[in-house]
Amino acid sequence: MSKPKPDSPDTGNEPESQTTSNFIRSIIDQDVAVGKHGGRVHTRFPPEPNGYLHIGHAKSICLNFGLAADHGGLCNLRFDDTNPIKEEAEYVEAIKEDVRWLGFDWEDREYYASDYFGQLHEWAVELIRKGKAYVDDLTAEEIRQYRGTLTEAGKESPYRDRTVEENLALFESMRAGELADGSKVLRAKIDMAAGNLNMRDPVLYRILHASHHRTGDDWCIYPMYDFAHGQSDSIEKITHSLCTLEFEDHRPLYDWFIRELDIFPSRQIEFARLNLSQTVLSKRKLKQLVDEGLVSGWDDPRMPTISALRRRGYTPESIRDFADRIGVAKADSTVDVALLEHCLRVDLNKRAPRVMAVLEPLKVVIENYPEGESELLEAVNNPEDPEAGSRQIPFSRELWIEKNDFREEAPKKYFRLAPGREVRLRYGFFITCQEVVKDETTGEVVELRCTYDPETRGGYAPDGRKVRGTIHWVSAAEAVNAEVRLYDHLLKPADEVKADQAKDFKASLNPDSLKVLTGCKVEPSLEGAARESRFQFERQGYFCVDNRDSSPDHLVFNRTVTLRDTWAKIEKAQRQASA
RNA sequence: UGGGGCGUCGCCAAGUGGUAAGGCACCAGACUUUGGAUCUGGCAUUCGUAGGUUCGAUUCCUACCGCCCCAGCCA
């Protein structure tokens, strides 16, 4: 007998996604065709190490690494670490782990914007020399007022026309640590009347006496995103710099620096960020869930973070497939979470070994099966994968079946067990329910007395008679106890949320996003199952051994996703019809 | 009376002058020792609206409507 292997590591069964074209691919193909940059394609994934990556980042990661790979190019991992107050080394490690887990390799191209602080400072000096940047003494509040509004032009700072010498000296004293935080900034001299607010003399450098997780106290002035990002791209000779739509307004500035500094002309291209139904993807909201204890942490299996998806049981292959299928465009969109789940099922169906587990146990006694005896039956490990082989499972007089696989009064189209009805125990025997035992006080069904047909061993009827229902089961004596956590979406479906959405997203939280079941009975082959191993619990869904709380003597499974459930649909339709 | 974007099936998304790909969801049927998987069929006479150009427009032009982003010394 061979135990089902926890799950095949990489079956290489990742779908051959016939990558549909998209506007970014077209631009790149075009550039390659005309030999721009010698036909070279070089992208980068540039997270700020101030939090955990989520599925929205996965879209960007797959896009950047994928597009580069498809063109024989490279993709760098670059940490956009220009704000020491929000960033930590711990996040750097977590991000690297997540990108690796997703299956991407940046080889030795691990960069940090902070590596370029020296060069960036030189460029700032260069701009001052050209008369294109100046030191401003206005306070943050004044700068805001001088900036004007969306519909009114701003006005120029009284410090805007300082001489080059004065600016040089002032910037030097900023850098030397002689000035207090916030007392001065370095600004680009562009156009205070520009329609695009980003061009109204944007701040290039601010004074911040803060320790940086990599450069320590080497600097007390730090460049702003706009003065660091594009130039970092340029330094790394990035050909196509992909970012989300909210940076469209920054592109003129991105290009302004390239022109004024006469540096490598990377091209910024913006695409729509991912939104997923029934979840939140904003860092602020996710943090709120964690801080308020509404989830157990950043890797709570209900979270959309990469670490949570991993813990939940998602495969990297399914996430990559999802990223391919949603495409890339510029229209704001919300992808149905059902697509993500579809990708997951497609992958897991091919590779997850099947196993029997009873989540809400109901005792069944086979009255005509000899007491104290047992036998082994053969069960297929994965009907989708002949290579997976089969295993032996014990059968005996006392079994556990699922509570909801029995009804005292069977509704229409209910194929499962009911008084007098015969069903097939998967890979076992046909059994017939003879008697229902109830708790005398509560009336609750506590045990079923059944008989089995010894001629139907393995689940086949020699006389050819049919049974409509096949149910899963576990032999009581050999069953292993387990805790099972049933997860559902973080938020209720949009049509149930309606108007209250505007007020607070927490009003939309799904109250049933977690249900913990203890006393579940799983088949003996699962004993000692390794963390993160994935299985299909037959007829129920895909489950993954929790990577935090599970141990050999206390198995904990997370429900990754349910199987499609046609019966549930029929039931729902029946309920609605009768209502 | 600001600037920048976007509007193709319930949700994504190709197509961009020659008469609407694909996926998800959904519906129906076949098959089935998972009500799973698989298979078959159905699902936009129409591309935000209204005009115009053209033999012909989702693709070009004009106007309008709707939605998103921008006023951090965050990214």
Side-chain angles (χ1 to χ4, degrees), chain A residues 306-544:
Chain A
I306 304 296
S307 54
L309 291 170
R310 173 180 181 171
R311 185 176 172 192
R312 172 95 170 237
Y314 272 77
T315 61
E317 290 81 359
S318 66
I319 294 172
R320 282 187 247 135
D321 182 30
F322 173 70
D324 280 343
R325 296 206 202 198
I326 57 178
V328 196
K330 298 195 70 162
D332 293 312
S333 61
T334 300
V335 177
D336 192 333
V337 70
L339 178 58
L340 212 212
E341 292 172 347
H342 169 78
C343 294
L344 215 210
R345 291 191 184 104
V346 166
D347 190 25
L348 256 16
N349 176 50
K350 286 285 187 291
R351 62 151 117 187
R354 273 58 169 174
V355 108
M356 292 203 282
V358 174
L359 270 28
E360 300 190 81
L362 172 61
K363 173 70 71 67
V364 164
V365 177
I366 312 293
E367 297 186 301
N368 60 338
Y369 195 90
E371 277 182 68
E373 279 190 26
S374 76
E375 63 192 288
L376 291 174
L377 297 165
E378 185 172 20
V380 173
N381 286 333
N382 185 348
E384 300 293 321
D385 177 15
E387 306 269 290
S390 61
R391 67 190 184 285
Q392 306 281 106
I393 50 176
F395 181 87
S396 61
R397 190 168 198 267
E398 295 196 4
L399 313 170
W400 295 112
I401 67 164
E402 208 68 58
K403 263 191 184 131
N404 66 13
D405 280 338
F406 171 79
R407 294 283 177 84
E408 273 198 276
E409 285 175 53
K412 246 186 143 165
K413 290 190 180 170
Y414 185 82
F415 307 148
R416 286 114 96 149
L417 206 55
R421 284 249 205 131
E422 182 174 51
V423 298
R424 170 190 293 112
L425 292 180
R426 178 144 236 235
Y427 301 126
F429 296 88
F430 286 9
I431 61 168
T432 303
C433 177
Q434 306 296 160
E435 191 189 336
V436 180
V437 182
K438 296 180 184 177
D439 181 289
E440 284 176 15
T441 54
T442 65
E444 187 195 354
V445 177
V446 292
E447 184 180 305
L448 264 26
R449 310 293 292 190
C450 300
T451 52
Y452 85 121
D453 177 354
E455 298 300 305
T456 58
R457 191 171 200 274
Y460 299 95
D463 64 359
R465 76 178 185 280
K466 300 274 187 246
V467 291
R468 292 296 298 271
T470 298
I471 66 175
H472 59 276
W473 54 277
V474 172
S475 173
E478 294 87 351
V480 173
N481 287 312
E483 173 180 330
V484 176
R485 300 171 180 173
L486 304 180
Y487 293 103
D488 199 354
H489 305 293
L490 216 37
L491 303 187
K492 292 182 277 192
D495 57 342
E496 283 179 34
V497 173
K498 293 178 187 161
D500 60 32
Q501 181 125 358
K503 283 176 269 171
D504 181 4
F505 82 99
K506 284 185 291 177
S508 311
L509 286 174
N510 174 9
D512 305 314
S513 62
L514 170 61
K515 189 174 174 193
V516 177
L517 262 26
T518 54
C520 306
K521 305 290 184 183
V522 305
E523 66 167 70
S525 71
L526 249 20
E527 178 146 41
R531 289 177 174 186
E532 292 198 343
S533 49
R534 309 182 188 93
F535 302 90
Q536 182 195 95
F537 286 1
E538 294 227 21
R539 302 206 307 132
Q540 310 197 85
Y542 296 98
F543 292 77
C544 176

Side-chain angles (χ1 to χ4, degrees), chain A residues 282-295 298 504-506:
Chain A
S282 99
K283 195 171 282 177
R284 198 196 102 245
K285 290 176 183 169
L286 293 175
K287 185 172 189 311
Q288 210 176 329
L289 293 174
V290 173
D291 290 347
E292 296 178 23
L294 295 165
V295 295
W298 288 94
D504 181 4
F505 82 99
K506 284 185 291 177

